[in-house]
Amino acid sequence: MFERIKKPFKWFYHEFGLAAINETGLDAYLIILARTCRMFAYGTNALILAIFFSALGISDHQIGLFMTFTLLGDVVLGTFLTLVADRIGRRRVLVGGSLLMIFSGVVFALLENFWILLFAAVVGVISVTGGDFGPFRSIEESMLSQLTTPATRADVLSWHVTLALFGSSLGSELSGRVLHFLQSKDGWTKIDSYHTLFWIYAIMGTVNLVLVLLLSDRCELPQKRTYTQLPQDDSVRNTDVGTESPEEVSEEPPPYKEPRHWIIRGLKWFSNQLAKISPSTRSVMYKLWFLLAVDSLADGMVPYSLTNYYMDEKFHPRKSTLGDITSFSYFLGAISASFAGPVARKIGLINTMVFSHTPSSAAVLLFPFAPYLWLTAALLLVRAGLNNMDQAPRAAFIAAVVKPEERTAVMGITATVRTLAATAGPTVTGLLAASDRFWIAYVVAGSCRLSYDFGLYAMFVNMKLHDHESKPVEAPDGHNARRVPDEEMELRSLADTDTDSGSEELGPEKPGTGVVNLEVPDSSQRIRSRSPRRERYVES
């Protein structure tokens, strides 16, 4: 009886990737929980940000400019931090981002001046779209890609999206209820109630900071071991420590003059960072970056904050009703995102991305033509419910075609391209809203999203994945397969080379000569040899 009850839970545990998170370890739980808390904060301010500025008497055009400049700040901050994260430490970058999030929340909770709020949003971390822009997401995805294997990666990244959307859903629901409660009390104005939500934003930034501080060294990029080839004759085996090698005489190149203009220096630095990415990776990512730019331009034109503002202006619902709609849309997105991992295993990463994102794009295209609030809300639920199923497969796809040492930089540039493309959207939508043509933004955005879907399928559906990953090694009985890291292959190869050179060139070795035997575990598997003369097999 107990086994019959236990069986469906066990099936859910393995089929939906909970086993993959448990296998990855504590760091995966901390990263996912940190993003969940952060998206809870983003959910609270996504509901009221545009409405907050409207209550302050700021025009639609200025609201669009605010969002554009905030996204530009995210581009500069996110690009710089993700490109240097592997050098100065990923956890340090996340700590800095958490402090900036706290700073922005406190400023918005206390002040109302437009220019001061714009400064806090540009320099700090404020989500104007409800999405996870800034330095956090790309670094976290790089960490999770490093901690996981190809078999568990899609599941872990799927839960990284799913639980974050649950956080957004809870944040939107809570913000709507809190606003309705505070505004019904005597002595509370609408602006005062909005300020309260930004205190919640600052508190969630503090929680994010604590969780980041608990991460272990496994989240950092492992340092590569470098080997120096030494001569193998007897004359150099017993080299004294004080022996000096002859100095090489080389001419120093003329000193390089840095460009004076900071924009030129920035572009030069960015191009140098891009040049560190291998040509094979760049050839794939250039196409993907172009498509993501088109998709992000569409998302920037109709973010959730402006969508809530559009429904508020068109139908004038209660804030609690608006919060319920937004919360339920995030909840549906979380439910659908939990299926991204299992579906990707069945039909592939690209198919999952395209087949889930296309109906969402069509809902954006039809959104402004709904004459009733319930029909508009239904289209929003379709959009949000399927919009996030492509996030985890996309991150897994990038990890599958990018070398491990390039992932943080590539994911950072990917986030930069998406954010930069999204910056133009709010300004365009603000201009359209000011001239009573808000609906055009949804038509253009839906068309761009559909172009992204069809282009993604045409370019990448048949691409081979995981070429750079360590190959799984099958045990003789077909069980307990594991990956052989490069260091272990190196040791086995050296063992083969030393043994062969000793037996072929020196004959039987005399005891006491100081030869170290490197034993190889018994297996019947093919081993990659560093020797150019042969490929060897280790036999049991």
Side-chain angles (χ1 to χ4, degrees), residues 90 146 217-225 404-405 487:
R90 295 171 178 172
Q146 176 178 303
D217 293 337
R218 295 175 61 232
C219 297
E220 304 290 351
L221 181 69
Q223 297 296 323
K224 282 190 172 182
R225 298 181 181 179
E405 63 271 16
E487 289 84 356

Side-chain angles (χ1 to χ4, degrees), residues 29 37 130 143 146 173 182 213 222 302 336 352 354 373 398 503 508:
Y29 287 105
C37 295
M143 287 178 173
Q146 176 178 303
E173 177 66 23
L182 294 178
L213 291 173
V302 289
S336 65
T352 303
V354 174
L373 177 61
I398 293 175
S503 61

Side-chain angles (χ1 to χ4, degrees), residues 60-205:
D60 293 344
H61 177 57
Q62 285 181 301
I63 293 174
L65 286 177
F66 171 87
M67 293 187 174
T68 293
F69 282 116
T70 302
L71 289 172
L72 282 174
D74 290 338
V75 169
V76 176
L77 180 68
T79 302
F80 173 75
L81 292 180
T82 51
L83 289 177
V84 302
D86 287 340
R87 189 186 315 163
I88 67 176
R90 295 171 178 172
R91 290 173 296 172
R92 291 181 180 177
V93 171
L94 294 181
V95 167
S98 301
L99 294 175
L100 292 175
M101 183 177 173
I102 297 171
F103 164 75
S104 298
V106 172
V107 171
F108 272 74
L110 295 176
L111 304 175
E112 298 176 3
N113 182 273
F114 175 78
W115 300 108
I116 296 178
L117 296 179
L118 178 61
F119 173 79
V122 171
V123 176
V125 177
I126 282 285
S127 175
V128 299
T129 64
D132 196 2
F133 291 107
F136 293 105
R137 180 176 175 179
S138 56
I139 296 176
E140 288 175 346
E141 288 176 346
S142 180
M143 287 178 173
L144 291 175
S145 297
Q146 176 178 303
L147 294 171
T148 55
T149 65
T152 62
R153 186 170 298 141
D155 288 324
V156 175
L157 291 173
S158 175
W159 282 105
H160 185 241
V161 175
T162 300
L163 293 181
L165 290 173
F166 275 120
S168 295
S169 174
L170 185 59
S172 297
E173 177 66 23
L174 178 66
S175 62
R177 298 298 175 185
V178 168
L179 288 176
H180 182 70
F181 172 74
L182 294 178
Q183 291 175 10
S184 64
K185 295 183 66 176
D186 294 334
W188 282 81
T189 65
K190 290 183 178 180
I191 296 178
D192 291 335
S193 63
Y194 297 148
H195 281 308
T196 303
L197 294 184
F198 288 110
W199 282 116
I200 299 176
Y201 187 91
I203 292 172
M204 287 298 103

Side-chain angles (χ1 to χ4, degrees), residues 126-333:
I126 282 285
S127 175
V128 299
T129 64
D132 196 2
F133 291 107
F136 293 105
R137 180 176 175 179
S138 56
I139 296 176
E140 288 175 346
E141 288 176 346
S142 180
M143 287 178 173
L144 291 175
S145 297
Q146 176 178 303
L147 294 171
T148 55
T149 65
T152 62
R153 186 170 298 141
D155 288 324
V156 175
L157 291 173
S158 175
W159 282 105
H160 185 241
V161 175
T162 300
L163 293 181
L165 290 173
F166 275 120
S168 295
S169 174
L170 185 59
S172 297
E173 177 66 23
L174 178 66
S175 62
R177 298 298 175 185
V178 168
L179 288 176
H180 182 70
F181 172 74
L182 294 178
Q183 291 175 10
S184 64
K185 295 183 66 176
D186 294 334
W188 282 81
T189 65
K190 290 183 178 180
I191 296 178
D192 291 335
S193 63
Y194 297 148
H195 281 308
T196 303
L197 294 184
F198 288 110
W199 282 116
I200 299 176
Y201 187 91
I203 292 172
M204 287 298 103
T206 305
V207 175
N208 190 87
L209 174 63
V210 173
L211 293 172
V212 168
L213 291 173
L214 295 176
L215 294 175
S216 70
D217 293 337
R218 295 175 61 232
C219 297
E220 304 290 351
L221 181 69
Q223 297 296 323
K224 282 190 172 182
R225 298 181 181 179
T226 57
Y227 300 93
T228 304
Q229 185 174 1
L230 299 175
Q232 297 299 315
D233 53 276
D234 293 337
S235 60
V236 295
R237 283 189 178 177
N238 298 320
T239 306
D240 294 335
V241 175
T243 304
E244 297 182 359
S245 58
E247 297 182 357
E248 297 181 359
V249 179
S250 61
E251 296 183 359
E252 294 185 358
Y256 173 71
K257 294 183 178 180
E258 288 283 347
R260 293 184 178 181
H261 202 285
W262 66 272
I263 296 180
I264 299 177
R265 289 201 304 268
L267 292 175
K268 182 69 176 178
W269 176 80
F270 181 79
S271 63
N272 290 337
Q273 296 296 322
L274 189 62
K276 295 178 181 178
I277 301 174
S278 62
S280 60
T281 299
R282 291 201 303 267
S283 65
V284 175
M285 295 308 301
Y286 283 148
K287 295 182 286 186
L288 184 59
W289 285 334
F290 172 76
L291 293 174
L292 289 174
V294 174
D295 180 57
S296 298
L297 173 63
D299 288 340
M301 293 182 68
V302 289
Y304 288 120
S305 54
L306 288 180
T307 298
N308 289 326
Y309 181 55
Y310 173 80
M311 291 191 294
D312 186 62
E313 290 293 313
K314 185 175 180 179
F315 301 107
H316 306 289
R318 293 191 307 174
K319 296 300 183 292
S320 58
T321 302
L322 199 59
D324 291 340
I325 295 172
T326 306
S327 174
F328 194 56
S329 66
Y330 281 127
F331 178 78
L332 286 181

